[in-house]
Amino acid sequence: MIMILFLQVGGADKEQNILSQDLIKYRNNIKQAVENGVFFLLICGAYQLFGKYYKDVDGNIINGLGIFDYYTEANPDRKKRCIGNIVIDVNLNDINTKVIGFENHGGQTFNISSPFGNVLFGNGNKFSDTNEGFFQNNVIATYLHGPLLSKNPELCDYIIKYCLDRKYNENIILEPLNDEFENLCRNQLLNRFLSDTKNEELR
């Protein structure tokens, strides 16, 4: 038995359409893998394609896999995008942690039943949304790039532990790594982004 992690990222509308046509051929296999507990990390366009559909800026419908009930529609103004640094509050194994990333998407995602986190700074699933992404035990779908994993060691730990627990069918206890350097960087970013939010609220 091997540890399985499925990572997929996105692209522009043209590439989305090409990828959608290919992925739909394997929909049943992908759906079965999700139901069997394979871990999926879906970034941006991949996040969108696991929903019902993506409507592009010209109104064309790109069919999604329909694994989940959400859907995405592009803003008709090509120049208007959710772009910039973002911080969300996430609960991982009953522990709250802040996750940092960079978002860059024109698509607005609706009908999210279980968000990845609450937005503390940035946009999220839609312009000025309070929620970001989609989350269930073995699926994290998010607009956070930036790079997501290297900026968030606790998120890496969650994914690694989930995959190891599934592989060995037991609760694996991981030996803690020294994340001092990563956390120094994180704290600088968090202080900068969240203090900007407080300053905006005071204006």
Side-chain angles (χ1 to χ4, degrees), residues 88-124:
I88 61 175
D89 190 46
V90 174
N91 186 287
L92 299 173
N93 287 332
D94 296 323
I95 298 174
N96 282 355
T97 185
K98 293 178 177 63
V99 174
I100 303 172
F102 187 89
E103 58 180 342
N104 183 3
H105 58 102
Q108 311 289 287
T109 300
F110 301 86
N111 199 34
I112 294 295
S113 58
S114 178
F116 181 33
N118 300 317
V119 178
L120 302 177
F121 178 80
N123 286 289

Side-chain angles (χ1 to χ4, degrees), residues 6 8 15-30 49 62-63 65:
F6 184 98
Q8 183 183 338
E15 288 74 20
Q16 286 279 84
N17 195 23
I18 294 170
L19 185 58
S20 169
Q21 293 175 41
D22 187 58
L23 276 180
I24 285 174
K25 299 174 187 175
Y26 307 100
R27 181 190 181 279
N28 291 338
N29 302 85
I30 294 171
L49 286 179
I62 299 173
N63 291 322
L65 293 172

Side-chain angles (χ1 to χ4, degrees), residues 120-121 190-203:
L120 302 177
F121 178 80
L190 287 170
N191 288 336
R192 177 152 57 99
F193 300 153
L194 297 183
S195 65
D196 286 348
T197 301
K198 290 178 182 177
N199 291 335
E200 284 292 327
E201 291 173 350
L202 292 173
R203 290 177 185 173

Side-chain angles (χ1 to χ4, degrees), residues 19-49:
L19 185 58
S20 169
Q21 293 175 41
D22 187 58
L23 276 180
I24 285 174
K25 299 174 187 175
Y26 307 100
R27 181 190 181 279
N28 291 338
N29 302 85
I30 294 171
K31 187 173 187 294
Q32 185 177 21
V34 171
E35 292 173 348
N36 287 342
V38 173
F39 196 94
F40 284 74
L41 178 59
L42 308 170
I43 308 294
C44 199
Y47 167 22
Q48 297 167 351
L49 286 179

